[in-house]
Amino acid sequence: MLKIYNTLTKKIDEFKPISDKEVGLYTCGPTVYHYAHIGNLRTYIFEDILKRVLEYNGYEINHVMNITDVGHLTDDGDNGEDKMEKGSQREGKTAWEIAEFYTQAFQKNLKELNIESPTTWCKATDNIPEQIAFVQTLTDKGFTYATSDGIYFDTTKFPSYGEMANLQNQELEAGSRVDMGEKKNPHDFALWKFSKPEEKRQMEWEAFGRKGFPGWHIECSAMSSKYLGHHFDIHCGGIDHIPVHHTNEIAQSEAAFGEHPWVNYWMHGEFIVMKNDEKMSKSGDNFVILDTLIAKNIDPLAYRFFLLQTHYRKQLNFSWKALEAAQTGLNNLRNKVLALKNKNIKTLKHENTSPDVLVIKTSFLEKINDDLDMPGALASIFDALKNDEIDYETILQFDKILGLELDKIKKENIEIPDDVQKLLDERKKAREEKNWSESDRLRDEIKALGYNVEDTSEGQQISK
Ligand code: AMP
Ligand code: ZN
């Protein structure tokens, strides 16, 4: 039985799909005005694990991910610049070129992290008529009003507004924290924005009698209903989406479709934060992307392994030291799996039914089905690797969830340059003399040249 934490009910619920076999899953995708930072990527890895766990439980997944290539303003209160137009000014390219470039960069990151592709990718700009029709439906049903700068959703017409995020309990004095502009209520949000008369936008469309562009939330409601229908199983994102983006998606979709709940399970991944709780941002020192890791000789899958060690609902602190430890941990796991492969490469013919292995498999399944307890699942695997009965194929079955490409490990024949070999020899001598500080210093020196050393029962093992 699969159990998952549902932000809607605020408890761990048994997962019951709407239809027997296929699960409808919508995950909010990137705003493609810059590279995804490693915080963003944590959310996509959590969603990938969810998908793999559903697949492991025998479900087929109809997974839709959007690309926000228009309409995401720099603040959540429907003010500020459009992030795409901002990206275009920053780089001197058109907004369309920016969107194309960063969409490709994002999809490359997903491959590098071994994240499975969605069944359907959809771009906001490819679905403008659907969004206009959605705003029209809401207008026909009496949920909207127009101001001089856009068409807004009137949250007072939707009594359960903000239930998932507990917003009803938050006293929001009009104008105190939110720049109200001509909005009637603080939580009201833009469904459609009108282009300002003085500005020439690169991305704008004729609708409602003027030029304009969609509000950020409407794309997810329009595209999820297009591909998954008016009622589907699971919707995910990072926790920052709970109070604004997802709250607004729920309001506009339930108002338009009359379905409650519109989505049965809402799942949110916690953030990864920098030291001192600083936010990860898309500019400045806190802007760490996957390429930054690769440039420091950290394998993207070591970042994946790093994330698996913490439950997706726990905040995680980023540090280079922890990431390096994860790289060593992954190398260690790979070495163990390779040794296992070499050990039972000839003997494997049938599924392993040893009682020990059955216990291990059950324990692994219990962990992943317990709200995606990946730290627990990893611990089961390391325990399993200590058991003489475990076989390579069973570990590969587990890797269907981990996604660490344990089936692709091969012993690398690394050519060791002379200077690195000299340091290795010095380190061997230092270790024989039990001079651990010198040994550590030499390890760092070797690392600076791009090689990792591990101490195994067979001596120093080197990897790139
Ligand atoms: P964006 O491209 O800004 O729309 O964000 C893409 C995804 O990354 C969203 O699901 C966000 O909730 C998520 N996200 C943003 N910052 C972080 C972070 N520091 N840690 C984890 N997820 C994040
Ligand atoms: Zn969304």
Side-chain angles (χ1 to χ4, degrees):
M1 179 176 70
L2 172 59
K3 289 175 291 164
I4 47 180
Y5 182 82
N6 188 353
T7 314
L8 204 58
T9 59
K10 297 168 188 65
K11 59 183 177 57
I12 293 187
D13 289 335
E14 181 185 341
F15 177 67
K16 292 193 187 132
I18 296 168
S19 97
D20 273 356
K21 270 271 144 237
E22 196 181 79
V23 173
L25 170 69
Y26 187 89
T27 56
C28 291
T31 306
V32 285
Y33 71 113
H34 217 318
Y35 291 105
H37 59 55
I38 56 167
N40 302 134
L41 295 172
R42 181 183 189 197
T43 294
Y44 301 110
I45 288 180
F46 136 64
E47 293 162 349
D48 185 54
I49 296 291
L50 166 68
K51 224 172 120 176
R52 288 167 180 266
V53 169
L54 287 162
E55 282 162 352
Y56 202 88
N57 280 276
Y59 296 112
E60 279 189 25
I61 325 290
N62 186 4
H63 175 204
V64 179
M65 191 184 310
N66 67 305
I67 298 280
T68 300
D69 56 357
V70 67
H72 192 174
L73 303 185
T74 46
D75 80 32
D76 278 345
D78 298 315
N79 294 310
E81 280 172 279
D82 183 305
K83 291 185 174 177
M84 298 308 303
E85 303 269 345
K86 201 176 160 195
S88 152
Q89 281 156 25
R90 185 186 63 230
E91 296 187 22
K93 294 183 188 162
T94 68
W96 298 95
E97 285 166 348
I98 292 285
E100 182 57 28
F101 179 84
Y102 289 112
T103 300
Q104 300 228 352
F106 175 71
Q107 291 174 336
K108 179 168 166 275
N109 282 171
L110 296 196
K111 278 210 182 78
E112 288 164 330
L113 289 165
N114 198 23
I115 292 176
E116 293 178 351
S117 282
T119 325
T120 304
W121 286 106
C122 46
K123 288 185 192 170
T125 52
D126 285 342
N127 290 274
I128 297 294
E130 288 80 351
Q131 295 174 69
I132 295 172
F134 207 108
V135 178
Q136 190 57 51
T137 302
L138 289 169
T139 300
D140 295 344
K141 295 193 171 194
F143 286 98
T144 72
Y145 60 90
T147 70
S148 63
D149 75 351
I151 298 177
Y152 284 79
F153 186 91
D154 185 344
T155 51
T156 57
K157 300 262 169 69
F158 186 73
S160 59
Y161 183 82
E163 246 171 28
M164 181 169 77
N166 270 333
L167 293 184
Q168 303 95 323
N169 305 331
Q170 256 182 39
E171 284 203 33
L172 255 184
E173 263 179 51
S176 63
R177 284 172 45 209
V178 174
D179 179 7
M180 288 278 286
E182 295 166 48
K183 284 201 298 196
K184 292 185 186 167
N185 312 290
H187 289 305
D188 292 357
F189 57 92
L191 297 163
W192 190 264
K193 292 276 282 186
F194 300 133
S195 303
K196 292 192 186 113
E198 71 277 12
E199 81 181 347
K200 177 75 195 100
R201 287 180 53 89
Q202 299 175 51
M203 291 177 157
E204 58 184 359
W205 294 265
E206 194 66 44
F208 312 108
R210 341 185 5 181
K211 287 230 172 348
F213 58 99
W216 170 34
H217 320 294
I218 199 74
E219 62 172 281
C220 289
S221 293
M223 294 192 279
S224 62
S225 61
K226 175 169 169 181
Y227 295 106
L228 299 170
H230 288 188
H231 180 209
F232 61 92
D233 296 292
I234 313 180
H235 193 134
C236 303
I239 42 152
D240 58 326
H241 281 348
I242 301 170
V244 181
H245 183 52
H246 287 169
T247 288
N248 293 346
E249 278 190 43
I250 291 174
Q252 66 201 8
S253 301
E254 295 194 356
F257 308 141
E259 284 277 357
H260 180 76
W262 162 51
V263 176
N264 287 357
Y265 300 86
W266 286 83
M267 294 180 72
H268 293 96
E270 249 292 355
F271 267 31
I272 178 163
V273 293
M274 307 299 289
K275 293 187 294 265
N276 313 324
D277 275 359
E278 284 168 49
K279 255 192 89 167
M280 287 220 174
S281 65
K282 290 203 174 179
S283 59
D285 287 350
N286 289 354
F287 188 38
V288 181
I289 62 174
L290 203 57
D291 282 349
T292 324
L293 268 49
I294 295 169
K296 288 184 185 263
N297 277 319
I298 291 171
D299 179 344
L301 293 179
Y303 182 57
R304 188 176 172 107
F305 182 72
F306 169 65
L307 296 179
L308 297 183
Q309 293 168 324
T310 301
H311 191 262
Y312 76 93
R313 285 196 290 119
K314 269 209 184 127
Q315 198 176 79
L316 174 58
N317 286 311
F318 173 79
S319 82
W320 289 107
K321 216 168 159 200
L323 214 53
E324 279 161 22
Q327 178 73 67
T328 309
L330 177 61
N331 294 347
N332 193 355
L333 175 63
R334 284 173 169 161
N335 287 340
K336 287 193 162 82
V337 173
L338 191 62
L340 183 64
K341 181 181 179 189
N342 293 336
K343 187 176 117 193
N344 46 59
I345 201 145
K346 291 199 184 65
T347 52
L348 266 181
K349 285 201 183 64
H350 306 290
E351 184 153 357
N352 190 334
T353 50
S354 119
D356 274 18
V357 173
L358 292 181
V359 170
I360 290 168
K361 283 185 179 172
T362 309
S363 146
F364 181 79
L365 185 64
E366 275 171 10
K367 296 284 183 329
I368 61 171
N369 279 355
D370 180 12
D371 192 27
L372 321 183
D373 175 8
M374 296 313 295
L378 274 181
S380 304
I381 293 180
F382 277 103
D383 278 351
L385 286 165
K386 288 186 204 136
N387 191 304
D388 285 340
E389 297 291 311
I390 197 70
D391 64 282
Y392 177 63
E393 290 300 325
T394 301
I395 296 294
L396 293 195
Q397 274 179 28
F398 296 162
D399 193 45
K400 290 206 163 90
I401 303 291
L402 307 180
L404 294 172
E405 297 188 336
L406 296 177
D407 57 333
K408 295 198 180 143
I409 330 165
K410 30 184 197 325
K411 198 153 190 76
E412 280 182 85
N413 276 328
I414 300 177
E415 275 201 35
I416 306 173
D418 289 348
D419 51 346
V420 175
Q421 188 58 55
K422 190 163 158 278
L423 294 170
L424 280 171
D425 295 343
E426 282 175 33
R427 188 167 179 274
K428 184 165 175 261
K429 192 154 161 278
R431 293 184 68 76
E432 281 162 6
E433 289 164 2
K434 299 202 177 347
N435 186 349
W436 308 125
S437 59
E438 177 65 359
S439 154
D440 286 350
R441 193 193 63 74
L442 286 161
R443 182 208 293 271
D444 290 345
E445 209 174 314
I446 293 167
K447 189 160 181 34
L449 296 171
Y451 295 84
N452 286 312
V453 198
E454 271 186 75
D455 299 305
T456 70
S457 51
E458 288 148 39
Q460 300 185 101
Q461 295 282 341
I462 188 148
S463 60
K464 261 194 146 171

